[in-house]
Amino acid sequence: MQLSNEEEDYNLSLSKFESMLKTNKVLFFDSEEFEEIILHYLDIGKANLAKKALKLALDQHPKSTGLKLVQVEMLVYDDKLDIAEKLLNELYAIEPNNEEIYIQKANICSKRDQHEKAVELLKIALQYTDDFADVYNLIGMEYLFMDNLEMAKESFIKCLEEDLEDQSALYNVVYCFEFLDQNQEAILYLNDYINKNPYSEIAWHQLGRLHYGVKEYENAIRAFDYATLIDEEFLGAFMEKAKAYERLKKYTEAIESYNRTIELDDATSYALLRIGKCYEKLGNTVLALKYYNQTVHEDPLLDKGWIAITDFYVRQKNFQKALFFVNKALAIDNQNRLYWKRYATINKQMNFFEEAEFGYRKAVEFGDYALDTWLYWVDILQFLGEFDSAIQTLLQASEYFPEENEIEYRLAGLYFMVQDNTKAKFHLSNGLRLNFDNYILIEDLFPVVWTKKMVRNYIEKHRKE
Protein backbone atom coordinates (compact mmCIF):
# COMPACT_ATOMS: atom_id res chain seq x y z
CA MET A 1 0.00 0.00 0.00
CA GLN A 2 1.53 3.31 -1.13
CA LEU A 3 1.53 6.30 1.19
CA SER A 4 0.60 9.72 -0.17
CA ASN A 5 3.28 12.45 -0.17
CA GLU A 6 1.49 14.17 2.72
CA GLU A 7 1.47 10.98 4.82
CA GLU A 8 5.17 10.39 4.06
CA ASP A 9 6.05 13.97 5.08
CA TYR A 10 3.95 13.59 8.26
CA ASN A 11 5.65 10.31 9.24
CA LEU A 12 9.03 11.86 8.45
CA SER A 13 8.27 14.85 10.70
CA LEU A 14 7.28 12.55 13.58
CA SER A 15 10.42 10.40 13.20
CA LYS A 16 12.58 13.52 12.99
CA PHE A 17 10.98 14.98 16.14
CA GLU A 18 11.33 11.77 18.17
CA SER A 19 14.94 11.42 17.03
CA MET A 20 15.58 14.99 18.20
CA LEU A 21 14.18 14.18 21.66
CA LYS A 22 16.52 11.19 21.97
CA THR A 23 19.68 13.10 20.89
CA ASN A 24 18.85 16.46 22.57
CA LYS A 25 19.71 18.23 19.28
CA VAL A 26 17.39 21.13 18.40
CA LEU A 27 16.11 20.75 14.82
CA PHE A 28 13.95 23.20 12.89
CA PHE A 29 10.30 22.46 11.97
CA ASP A 30 7.87 24.81 10.29
CA SER A 31 4.81 25.82 12.32
CA GLU A 32 2.41 23.51 10.44
CA GLU A 33 4.69 20.52 11.08
CA PHE A 34 4.66 21.36 14.77
CA GLU A 35 0.84 21.65 14.78
CA GLU A 36 0.51 18.17 13.27
CA ILE A 37 3.03 16.69 15.72
CA ILE A 38 1.30 18.25 18.76
CA LEU A 39 -2.19 17.19 17.64
CA HIS A 40 -0.91 13.67 16.94
CA TYR A 41 0.34 13.31 20.51
CA LEU A 42 -2.90 14.77 21.89
CA ASP A 43 -4.93 12.31 19.80
CA ILE A 44 -3.03 9.30 21.15
CA GLY A 45 -3.20 10.61 24.75
CA LYS A 46 0.51 11.48 25.14
CA ALA A 47 -0.05 14.91 26.68
CA ASN A 48 3.52 15.27 28.02
CA LEU A 49 5.03 14.81 24.56
CA ALA A 50 2.47 17.25 23.14
CA LYS A 51 3.54 19.85 25.75
CA LYS A 52 7.24 19.34 24.95
CA ALA A 53 6.50 19.80 21.25
CA LEU A 54 4.43 22.94 21.94
CA LYS A 55 7.21 24.52 24.03
CA LEU A 56 9.77 23.91 21.28
CA ALA A 57 7.29 25.12 18.66
CA LEU A 58 6.61 28.42 20.42
CA ASP A 59 10.36 28.94 20.92
CA GLN A 60 10.86 28.62 17.16
CA HIS A 61 7.61 30.38 16.06
CA PRO A 62 6.58 32.78 18.85
CA LYS A 63 4.14 34.73 16.64
CA SER A 64 2.34 31.77 14.99
CA THR A 65 -1.44 32.11 15.47
CA GLY A 66 -1.91 28.45 14.53
CA LEU A 67 0.43 27.30 17.32
CA LYS A 68 -1.18 29.64 19.82
CA LEU A 69 -4.55 28.16 18.94
CA VAL A 70 -3.10 24.70 19.56
CA GLN A 71 -1.85 26.08 22.90
CA VAL A 72 -5.42 27.19 23.65
CA GLU A 73 -6.66 23.70 22.83
CA MET A 74 -4.16 22.21 25.28
CA LEU A 75 -5.11 24.70 28.00
CA VAL A 76 -8.76 23.77 27.53
CA TYR A 77 -7.74 20.09 27.63
CA ASP A 78 -6.11 20.80 31.03
CA ASP A 79 -9.21 22.76 32.22
CA LYS A 80 -7.21 26.01 32.40
CA LEU A 81 -10.14 27.87 30.90
CA ASP A 82 -9.39 31.40 32.19
CA ILE A 83 -5.83 31.37 30.79
CA ALA A 84 -7.13 29.95 27.49
CA GLU A 85 -9.80 32.67 27.28
CA LYS A 86 -7.24 35.43 27.92
CA LEU A 87 -5.02 34.08 25.14
CA LEU A 88 -8.01 33.84 22.77
CA ASN A 89 -8.92 37.48 23.43
CA GLU A 90 -5.35 38.49 22.49
CA LEU A 91 -5.60 36.45 19.27
CA TYR A 92 -9.03 37.93 18.50
CA ALA A 93 -7.55 41.43 18.61
CA ILE A 94 -5.04 40.36 15.93
CA GLU A 95 -7.25 38.10 13.75
CA PRO A 96 -10.97 38.81 14.33
CA ASN A 97 -11.93 36.82 11.19
CA ASN A 98 -10.22 33.56 12.21
CA GLU A 99 -12.97 30.95 12.59
CA GLU A 100 -10.80 28.79 14.89
CA ILE A 101 -10.90 31.55 17.52
CA TYR A 102 -14.71 31.36 17.62
CA ILE A 103 -14.60 27.55 17.69
CA GLN A 104 -12.24 27.58 20.67
CA LYS A 105 -14.30 30.26 22.43
CA ALA A 106 -17.34 28.03 21.88
CA ASN A 107 -15.37 25.08 23.28
CA ILE A 108 -14.68 27.04 26.48
CA CYS A 109 -18.36 28.03 26.79
CA SER A 110 -19.34 24.39 26.29
CA LYS A 111 -16.96 23.33 29.08
CA ARG A 112 -18.69 25.89 31.31
CA ASP A 113 -22.14 24.50 30.36
CA GLN A 114 -22.94 27.72 28.47
CA HIS A 115 -24.22 25.80 25.46
CA GLU A 116 -26.49 28.52 24.02
CA LYS A 117 -23.58 30.96 23.99
CA ALA A 118 -21.42 28.26 22.37
CA VAL A 119 -23.99 27.89 19.56
CA GLU A 120 -23.97 31.70 18.98
CA LEU A 121 -20.16 31.66 18.65
CA LEU A 122 -20.23 28.66 16.30
CA LYS A 123 -22.78 30.43 14.10
CA ILE A 124 -20.31 33.33 13.81
CA ALA A 125 -17.60 30.79 12.91
CA LEU A 126 -19.83 29.68 10.00
CA GLN A 127 -19.35 33.14 8.45
CA TYR A 128 -15.56 32.68 8.25
CA THR A 129 -14.98 28.95 7.82
CA ASP A 130 -14.36 26.82 4.75
CA ASP A 131 -15.12 23.66 6.73
CA PHE A 132 -18.89 24.04 7.18
CA ALA A 133 -19.34 20.35 7.97
CA ASP A 134 -17.11 20.49 11.04
CA VAL A 135 -18.85 23.57 12.45
CA TYR A 136 -22.36 22.17 11.84
CA ASN A 137 -21.24 19.00 13.62
CA LEU A 138 -20.07 21.03 16.61
CA ILE A 139 -23.37 22.96 16.66
CA GLY A 140 -25.24 19.66 16.60
CA MET A 141 -23.24 18.43 19.61
CA GLU A 142 -24.07 21.61 21.55
CA TYR A 143 -27.79 21.09 20.86
CA LEU A 144 -27.41 17.50 22.09
CA PHE A 145 -25.94 18.83 25.34
CA MET A 146 -29.04 21.06 25.65
CA ASP A 147 -31.34 18.07 24.94
CA ASN A 148 -32.70 19.97 21.93
CA LEU A 149 -32.85 16.93 19.66
CA GLU A 150 -34.82 18.62 16.88
CA MET A 151 -32.23 21.37 16.37
CA ALA A 152 -29.40 18.85 16.80
CA LYS A 153 -30.93 16.72 14.05
CA GLU A 154 -31.14 19.72 11.70
CA SER A 155 -27.49 20.58 12.36
CA PHE A 156 -26.25 17.04 11.68
CA ILE A 157 -28.33 16.95 8.48
CA LYS A 158 -26.63 20.21 7.36
CA CYS A 159 -23.26 18.67 8.24
CA LEU A 160 -24.01 15.66 6.02
CA GLU A 161 -25.14 17.95 3.20
CA GLU A 162 -21.63 19.43 3.32
CA ASP A 163 -19.80 16.13 3.87
CA LEU A 164 -21.62 12.90 3.02
CA GLU A 165 -18.76 10.85 4.49
CA ASP A 166 -19.00 12.23 8.04
CA GLN A 167 -19.79 9.02 9.90
CA SER A 168 -20.18 10.53 13.37
CA ALA A 169 -22.81 12.95 12.01
CA LEU A 170 -24.60 10.04 10.34
CA TYR A 171 -24.75 8.09 13.62
CA ASN A 172 -25.87 11.22 15.46
CA VAL A 173 -28.65 12.11 13.04
CA VAL A 174 -30.08 8.58 13.34
CA TYR A 175 -29.79 8.82 17.14
CA CYS A 176 -31.83 12.07 17.05
CA PHE A 177 -34.54 10.54 14.82
CA GLU A 178 -34.79 7.52 17.14
CA PHE A 179 -34.84 9.59 20.33
CA LEU A 180 -37.64 11.71 18.84
CA ASP A 181 -39.51 8.48 18.00
CA GLN A 182 -39.38 9.36 14.28
CA ASN A 183 -38.37 5.95 12.95
CA GLN A 184 -40.32 6.17 9.69
CA GLU A 185 -38.93 9.67 9.02
CA ALA A 186 -35.44 8.27 9.70
CA ILE A 187 -36.02 5.48 7.17
CA LEU A 188 -37.07 8.06 4.53
CA TYR A 189 -34.02 10.20 5.34
CA LEU A 190 -31.61 7.25 5.08
CA ASN A 191 -33.13 6.11 1.78
CA ASP A 192 -32.55 9.63 0.45
CA TYR A 193 -28.99 9.63 1.86
CA ILE A 194 -28.27 6.22 0.28
CA ASN A 195 -29.41 7.53 -3.11
CA LYS A 196 -26.57 10.08 -2.82
CA ASN A 197 -24.06 7.75 -1.16
CA PRO A 198 -25.01 4.16 -2.09
CA TYR A 199 -21.75 2.61 -0.87
CA SER A 200 -22.08 3.71 2.75
CA GLU A 201 -22.19 0.47 4.74
CA ILE A 202 -22.96 2.52 7.88
CA ALA A 203 -26.11 3.95 6.27
CA TRP A 204 -27.30 0.51 5.13
CA HIS A 205 -26.64 -0.90 8.61
CA GLN A 206 -28.53 1.94 10.30
CA LEU A 207 -31.39 1.51 7.82
CA GLY A 208 -31.53 -2.19 8.70
CA ARG A 209 -31.63 -1.37 12.42
CA LEU A 210 -34.52 1.04 11.89
CA HIS A 211 -36.51 -1.50 9.82
CA TYR A 212 -35.85 -4.06 12.57
CA GLY A 213 -37.11 -1.57 15.17
CA VAL A 214 -40.47 -1.22 13.38
CA LYS A 215 -40.67 -5.02 12.83
CA GLU A 216 -40.08 -4.85 9.05
CA TYR A 217 -37.72 -7.81 9.19
CA GLU A 218 -37.56 -8.59 5.44
CA ASN A 219 -36.53 -4.99 4.71
CA ALA A 220 -34.03 -5.14 7.58
CA ILE A 221 -32.37 -8.24 6.12
CA ARG A 222 -32.18 -6.59 2.68
CA ALA A 223 -30.42 -3.55 4.20
CA PHE A 224 -28.01 -5.69 6.24
CA ASP A 225 -27.24 -7.69 3.07
CA TYR A 226 -26.12 -4.50 1.32
CA ALA A 227 -24.02 -3.51 4.35
CA THR A 228 -22.23 -6.88 4.30
CA LEU A 229 -21.77 -6.76 0.52
CA ILE A 230 -19.98 -3.42 0.85
CA ASP A 231 -17.97 -4.57 3.86
CA GLU A 232 -17.61 -8.35 3.99
CA GLU A 233 -16.24 -8.13 7.54
CA PHE A 234 -19.03 -5.98 9.01
CA LEU A 235 -19.57 -8.07 12.13
CA GLY A 236 -22.41 -5.93 13.53
CA ALA A 237 -24.44 -6.22 10.32
CA PHE A 238 -24.11 -10.03 10.30
CA MET A 239 -25.21 -10.13 13.94
CA GLU A 240 -28.25 -7.92 13.31
CA LYS A 241 -29.15 -9.90 10.19
CA ALA A 242 -29.11 -13.12 12.22
CA LYS A 243 -31.50 -11.58 14.77
CA ALA A 244 -33.87 -10.54 11.96
CA TYR A 245 -33.82 -14.08 10.52
CA GLU A 246 -34.69 -15.39 13.99
CA ARG A 247 -37.69 -13.08 14.12
CA LEU A 248 -38.86 -14.53 10.81
CA LYS A 249 -38.34 -18.06 12.20
CA LYS A 250 -35.71 -18.67 9.50
CA TYR A 251 -33.43 -20.45 11.92
CA THR A 252 -31.07 -22.08 9.38
CA GLU A 253 -30.27 -18.68 7.83
CA ALA A 254 -29.90 -17.16 11.31
CA ILE A 255 -27.35 -19.85 12.23
CA GLU A 256 -25.38 -19.05 9.04
CA SER A 257 -25.19 -15.37 9.97
CA TYR A 258 -24.23 -16.05 13.59
CA ASN A 259 -21.52 -18.43 12.36
CA ARG A 260 -20.19 -15.68 10.09
CA THR A 261 -19.67 -13.47 13.16
CA ILE A 262 -17.68 -16.29 14.76
CA GLU A 263 -15.53 -16.59 11.61
CA LEU A 264 -14.83 -12.85 11.68
CA ASP A 265 -13.93 -12.64 15.35
CA ASP A 266 -13.59 -14.81 18.43
CA ALA A 267 -16.80 -16.63 19.29
CA THR A 268 -18.96 -14.53 21.60
CA SER A 269 -21.13 -16.16 24.24
CA TYR A 270 -24.09 -14.24 22.77
CA ALA A 271 -23.66 -15.75 19.29
CA LEU A 272 -23.17 -19.26 20.71
CA LEU A 273 -26.28 -18.88 22.86
CA ARG A 274 -28.40 -17.73 19.91
CA ILE A 275 -27.11 -20.59 17.72
CA GLY A 276 -28.12 -23.02 20.47
CA LYS A 277 -31.61 -21.51 20.62
CA CYS A 278 -31.94 -21.73 16.82
CA TYR A 279 -30.95 -25.41 16.82
CA GLU A 280 -33.48 -26.07 19.59
CA LYS A 281 -36.19 -24.38 17.51
CA LEU A 282 -35.20 -26.63 14.61
CA GLY A 283 -35.63 -29.64 16.90
CA ASN A 284 -31.94 -30.53 16.92
CA THR A 285 -31.52 -30.99 20.68
CA VAL A 286 -28.02 -32.51 20.40
CA LEU A 287 -26.55 -29.46 18.65
CA ALA A 288 -28.62 -27.10 20.83
CA LEU A 289 -27.11 -28.55 23.99
CA LYS A 290 -23.64 -28.54 22.42
CA TYR A 291 -23.86 -24.79 21.77
CA TYR A 292 -25.39 -24.05 25.18
CA ASN A 293 -22.44 -25.85 26.76
CA GLN A 294 -20.02 -23.88 24.56
CA THR A 295 -21.77 -20.68 25.70
CA VAL A 296 -21.08 -21.29 29.40
CA HIS A 297 -17.59 -22.58 28.61
CA GLU A 298 -16.87 -19.32 26.75
CA ASP A 299 -18.34 -17.19 29.55
CA PRO A 300 -18.98 -19.08 32.80
CA LEU A 301 -20.38 -15.89 34.36
CA LEU A 302 -23.09 -15.47 31.72
CA ASP A 303 -26.20 -16.33 33.72
CA LYS A 304 -28.32 -16.34 30.54
CA GLY A 305 -26.26 -19.31 29.32
CA TRP A 306 -27.01 -21.34 32.45
CA ILE A 307 -30.70 -20.36 32.20
CA ALA A 308 -30.81 -21.51 28.57
CA ILE A 309 -29.59 -24.95 29.69
CA THR A 310 -32.09 -24.86 32.59
CA ASP A 311 -34.99 -24.17 30.23
CA PHE A 312 -33.70 -26.83 27.83
CA TYR A 313 -33.88 -29.48 30.55
CA VAL A 314 -37.27 -28.21 31.79
CA ARG A 315 -38.63 -28.73 28.28
CA GLN A 316 -37.08 -32.20 28.34
CA LYS A 317 -38.78 -32.73 31.76
CA ASN A 318 -35.37 -33.54 33.23
CA PHE A 319 -35.95 -31.52 36.40
CA GLN A 320 -32.95 -32.97 38.27
CA LYS A 321 -30.54 -31.44 35.73
CA ALA A 322 -32.66 -28.28 35.39
CA LEU A 323 -32.32 -27.71 39.14
CA PHE A 324 -28.53 -28.08 38.96
CA PHE A 325 -28.27 -25.44 36.22
CA VAL A 326 -30.76 -22.94 37.68
CA ASN A 327 -28.62 -22.98 40.82
CA LYS A 328 -25.63 -22.07 38.63
CA ALA A 329 -27.55 -19.05 37.30
CA LEU A 330 -28.63 -18.02 40.82
CA ALA A 331 -25.02 -18.23 42.01
CA ILE A 332 -24.26 -15.47 39.47
CA ASP A 333 -27.42 -13.36 39.95
CA ASN A 334 -29.29 -14.21 43.12
CA GLN A 335 -31.59 -11.19 42.88
CA ASN A 336 -33.23 -12.13 39.59
CA ARG A 337 -36.94 -12.73 40.15
CA LEU A 338 -37.31 -14.77 36.95
CA TYR A 339 -34.57 -17.17 38.04
CA TRP A 340 -36.18 -17.61 41.46
CA LYS A 341 -39.52 -18.37 39.79
CA ARG A 342 -37.84 -21.04 37.65
CA TYR A 343 -36.17 -22.43 40.78
CA ALA A 344 -39.57 -22.60 42.51
CA THR A 345 -41.33 -24.19 39.53
CA ILE A 346 -38.64 -26.87 39.14
CA ASN A 347 -38.73 -27.72 42.86
CA LYS A 348 -42.52 -27.88 42.74
CA GLN A 349 -42.32 -30.36 39.84
CA MET A 350 -39.99 -32.49 41.97
CA ASN A 351 -42.32 -32.24 45.01
CA PHE A 352 -39.73 -30.28 46.98
CA PHE A 353 -42.41 -28.00 48.39
CA GLU A 354 -40.41 -26.18 51.04
CA GLU A 355 -37.77 -25.22 48.46
CA ALA A 356 -40.52 -24.22 46.01
CA GLU A 357 -42.14 -22.01 48.68
CA PHE A 358 -38.76 -20.37 49.32
CA GLY A 359 -38.31 -19.77 45.57
CA TYR A 360 -41.69 -18.08 45.12
CA ARG A 361 -41.06 -15.97 48.23
CA LYS A 362 -37.72 -14.78 46.81
CA ALA A 363 -39.31 -14.11 43.39
CA VAL A 364 -41.89 -11.79 45.02
CA GLU A 365 -39.22 -10.25 47.24
CA PHE A 366 -37.28 -9.25 44.11
CA GLY A 367 -40.29 -7.75 42.34
CA ASP A 368 -42.28 -10.55 40.67
CA TYR A 369 -45.84 -9.41 41.35
CA ALA A 370 -47.49 -11.55 38.66
CA LEU A 371 -50.79 -13.07 39.81
CA ASP A 372 -49.74 -16.64 39.09
CA THR A 373 -46.61 -16.22 41.26
CA TRP A 374 -48.72 -15.17 44.24
CA LEU A 375 -51.20 -18.02 43.68
CA TYR A 376 -48.53 -20.73 43.28
CA TRP A 377 -46.84 -19.48 46.45
CA VAL A 378 -50.09 -19.47 48.44
CA ASP A 379 -51.15 -22.92 47.23
CA ILE A 380 -47.83 -24.33 48.42
CA LEU A 381 -48.15 -22.56 51.78
CA GLN A 382 -51.61 -24.11 52.12
CA PHE A 383 -50.27 -27.54 51.17
CA LEU A 384 -47.60 -27.13 53.88
CA GLY A 385 -50.36 -26.28 56.38
CA GLU A 386 -49.13 -22.72 56.88
CA PHE A 387 -52.62 -21.20 56.72
CA ASP A 388 -51.81 -17.94 58.54
CA SER A 389 -48.82 -17.24 56.26
CA ALA A 390 -50.98 -18.06 53.24
CA ILE A 391 -53.65 -15.57 54.43
CA GLN A 392 -51.07 -12.80 54.99
CA THR A 393 -49.58 -13.46 51.55
CA LEU A 394 -53.00 -13.26 49.87
CA LEU A 395 -53.83 -10.02 51.67
CA GLN A 396 -50.55 -8.64 50.33
CA ALA A 397 -51.44 -9.87 46.84
CA SER A 398 -54.90 -8.25 47.06
CA GLU A 399 -53.17 -4.84 47.25
CA TYR A 400 -51.96 -5.48 43.68
CA PHE A 401 -55.14 -7.29 42.54
CA PRO A 402 -58.02 -5.79 44.57
CA GLU A 403 -60.83 -7.32 42.48
CA GLU A 404 -59.46 -10.79 41.73
CA ASN A 405 -61.87 -13.68 42.32
CA GLU A 406 -59.07 -16.27 42.60
CA ILE A 407 -57.64 -14.40 45.58
CA GLU A 408 -61.06 -13.96 47.20
CA TYR A 409 -62.00 -17.67 46.92
CA ARG A 410 -58.66 -18.69 48.38
CA LEU A 411 -59.04 -16.23 51.27
CA ALA A 412 -62.54 -17.62 51.91
CA GLY A 413 -61.24 -21.20 51.98
CA LEU A 414 -58.33 -20.35 54.27
CA TYR A 415 -60.48 -18.38 56.71
CA PHE A 416 -62.87 -21.33 56.89
CA MET A 417 -59.84 -23.54 57.63
CA VAL A 418 -58.84 -21.34 60.59
CA GLN A 419 -62.47 -21.17 61.82
CA ASP A 420 -62.93 -17.45 61.11
CA ASN A 421 -66.36 -17.81 59.48
CA THR A 422 -67.18 -14.07 59.40
CA LYS A 423 -64.14 -13.19 57.27
CA ALA A 424 -64.57 -16.40 55.27
CA LYS A 425 -68.16 -15.46 54.28
CA PHE A 426 -67.07 -11.91 53.45
CA HIS A 427 -64.41 -13.14 50.97
CA LEU A 428 -66.65 -15.91 49.62
CA SER A 429 -69.29 -13.28 48.93
CA ASN A 430 -66.67 -11.19 47.07
CA GLY A 431 -65.57 -14.20 45.00
CA LEU A 432 -69.15 -15.07 44.05
CA ARG A 433 -69.81 -11.45 43.08
CA LEU A 434 -66.71 -11.23 40.89
CA ASN A 435 -67.05 -14.62 39.16
CA PHE A 436 -69.81 -16.88 40.41
CA ASP A 437 -68.85 -19.96 38.35
CA ASN A 438 -65.36 -20.06 39.82
CA TYR A 439 -66.71 -21.25 43.20
CA ILE A 440 -65.40 -24.62 41.95
CA LEU A 441 -62.04 -23.44 43.37
CA ILE A 442 -63.39 -24.13 46.86
CA GLU A 443 -64.16 -27.72 45.90
CA ASP A 444 -60.77 -28.19 44.17
CA LEU A 445 -58.50 -26.49 46.68
CA PHE A 446 -60.39 -26.93 49.95
CA PRO A 447 -62.23 -30.30 49.88
CA VAL A 448 -62.63 -30.19 53.68
CA VAL A 449 -64.38 -26.81 53.44
CA TRP A 450 -66.54 -28.03 50.54
CA THR A 451 -68.01 -30.76 52.71
CA LYS A 452 -69.52 -28.13 55.03
CA LYS A 453 -73.24 -27.77 54.32
CA MET A 454 -73.14 -24.14 55.43
CA VAL A 455 -70.70 -23.28 52.61
CA ARG A 456 -72.78 -24.91 49.85
CA ASN A 457 -75.98 -23.33 51.20
CA TYR A 458 -74.27 -19.94 51.11
CA ILE A 459 -73.29 -20.49 47.47
CA GLU A 460 -76.82 -21.62 46.54
CA LYS A 461 -78.28 -18.56 48.23
CA HIS A 462 -76.05 -16.33 46.04
CA ARG A 463 -77.02 -18.31 42.93
CA LYS A 464 -80.70 -17.48 43.55
CA GLU A 465 -79.96 -13.83 44.22
Side-chain angles (χ1 to χ4, degrees), residues 167-180:
Q167 291 186 0
S168 72
L170 184 58
Y171 278 119
N172 281 328
V173 80
V174 173
Y175 167 79
C176 291
F177 273 118
E178 286 188 289
F179 194 89
L180 292 163

Side-chain angles (χ1 to χ4, degrees), residues 368-422:
D368 182 353
Y369 304 131
L371 179 62
D372 68 333
T373 308
W374 291 103
L375 298 181
Y376 288 140
W377 182 15
V378 166
D379 290 347
I380 286 175
L381 283 168
Q382 182 204 333
F383 179 83
L384 293 170
E386 296 182 24
F387 301 138
D388 289 332
S389 293
I391 288 168
Q392 291 309 311
T393 302
L394 279 171
L395 290 172
Q396 200 182 338
S398 68
E399 291 173 19
Y400 296 92
F401 302 95
E403 291 283 283
E404 178 50 59
N405 75 87
E406 293 214 22
I407 291 174
E408 295 299 328
Y409 280 121
R410 280 173 172 80
L411 277 168
L414 286 161
Y415 275 123
F416 277 125
M417 295 294 286
V418 297
Q419 312 297 319
D420 191 337
N421 290 350
T422 306

